[in-house]
Amino acid sequence: MGVFTGRTALVTGASRGIGRGIAERLGRDGARVAVHYGSNGAAARETVAAIEAAGGSAFAIRADLRAPGAARTLWEEFDRHADGLDVLVNNAGIGSTRPIEEISEEEYDAVFAVNVRAPFFILKHGMRRLRDGGRVVNISSGLARTAAMPDNMAYAMTKGALDVFSRDLSKILGARSITVNSVAPGIIDTDNTAELLHGSADGWKRAAALSALGGVGTPAEVADVVAFLASHDGRWVTGSWVDVTGGSLT
């Protein structure tokens, strides 16, 4: 019996990267996992297949989080497969933006739509589906609190907004014993960071030097922290910002 046996989880942006790592971990621990994706259905099906191959249960749902009404679309898809939710992980996000001198209004609007508007309205429409004692984990970023990186300003701004959302939502849902926390990864080895880590001879070395632990994180390492917060062991942690940067902020 896994720690999440009998529970249902939804992970947005779960077709690859950190989201896939979280979905696979929750599935391995017994949860039935809704694997959300925006456009890459093949990758989402691969995540579902990986969870099922490990003995878990999962299903894929699609919603373009940039679109108006995306949250309603997501829940309509979810309701076709499940009648309630225990763990919600808001992971989907646009991971970088151009400098202020170059970014367009369209790009700015898109990153805020996916990274801020979508989690807000997913919760607005999903609170009645979230069972008492449930868990909400929002995937933030070390950039929300680390030294300024002006070339990625708009992205960092979205994560700051998400952290406020976690803090304030914890006060709303706490009466139902639902915890809400932000998890903030640093540089994680995914396809989103491939150019940074592997695009030059010393990319990995420079990234690893930022961490007090002298390394680059993996999706599994972020997933372990999410799994703790989503478990019974994390029941007395809420409204918190959890640093999962490997000590990059120290």
Side-chain angles (χ1 to χ4, degrees):
M1 294 285 288
V3 296
F4 298 117
T5 297
R7 301 174 73 185
T8 300
L10 165 60
V11 183
T12 66
S15 63
R16 56 192 179 90
I18 292 173
R20 176 169 177 166
I22 294 168
E24 290 186 358
R25 171 60 193 269
L26 296 178
R28 188 166 67 249
D29 286 351
R32 184 176 183 229
V33 184
V35 175
H36 162 265
Y37 70 99
S39 59
N40 194 338
R45 289 190 291 274
E46 288 176 5
T47 303
V48 169
I51 292 170
E52 292 177 340
S57 175
F59 56 92
I61 58 175
R62 181 183 182 278
D64 181 358
L65 299 185
R66 296 169 298 181
R72 292 186 182 277
T73 299
L74 181 147
W75 287 118
E76 287 171 2
E77 288 285 307
F78 178 88
D79 289 344
R80 293 173 52 225
H81 301 272
D83 59 2
L85 185 67
D86 301 285
V87 179
L88 171 60
V89 182
N90 282 308
N91 165 79
I94 295 174
S96 63
T97 50
R98 287 178 290 179
I100 190 170
E101 297 88 355
E102 301 175 14
I103 192 170
S104 66
E105 289 190 17
E106 290 75 16
E107 183 180 352
Y108 180 94
D109 287 345
V111 72
F112 271 84
V114 175
N115 295 11
V116 182
R117 185 182 72 192
F120 185 96
F121 284 99
I122 286 171
L123 259 302
K124 173 181 169 65
H125 298 304
M127 286 191 293
R128 65 179 177 82
R129 296 171 170 89
L130 196 60
R131 298 185 180 100
D132 290 357
R135 302 285 188 265
V136 177
V137 180
N138 295 317
I139 304 302
S140 179
S141 169
L143 285 181
R145 300 197 185 184
T146 190
M149 294 185 66
D151 285 353
N152 213 6
M153 184 190 304
Y155 167 76
M157 289 168 62
T158 67
K159 295 304 185 178
L162 193 64
D163 293 341
V164 171
F165 180 51
S166 295
R167 182 196 68 197
D168 290 3
L169 188 66
S170 71
K171 297 290 188 180
I172 295 172
L173 296 180
R176 296 173 53 199
S177 298
I178 297 171
T179 67
V180 186
N181 293 287
S182 285
V183 166
I187 299 174
I188 305 297
D189 187 13
T190 68
D191 54 352
N192 280 336
T193 57
E195 183 177 353
L196 171 67
L197 295 175
H198 308 291
S200 63
D202 64 343
W204 187 281
K205 182 178 179 180
R206 287 188 289 109
L210 297 174
S211 165
L213 297 173
V216 173
T218 66
E221 287 166 333
V222 179
D224 287 346
V225 177
V226 172
F228 163 73
L229 292 171
S231 74
H232 179 71
D233 290 345
R235 64 193 178 279
W236 204 240
V237 182
T238 195
S240 292
W241 190 88
V242 183
D243 181 345
V244 193
T245 68
S248 298
L249 307 187
T250 58

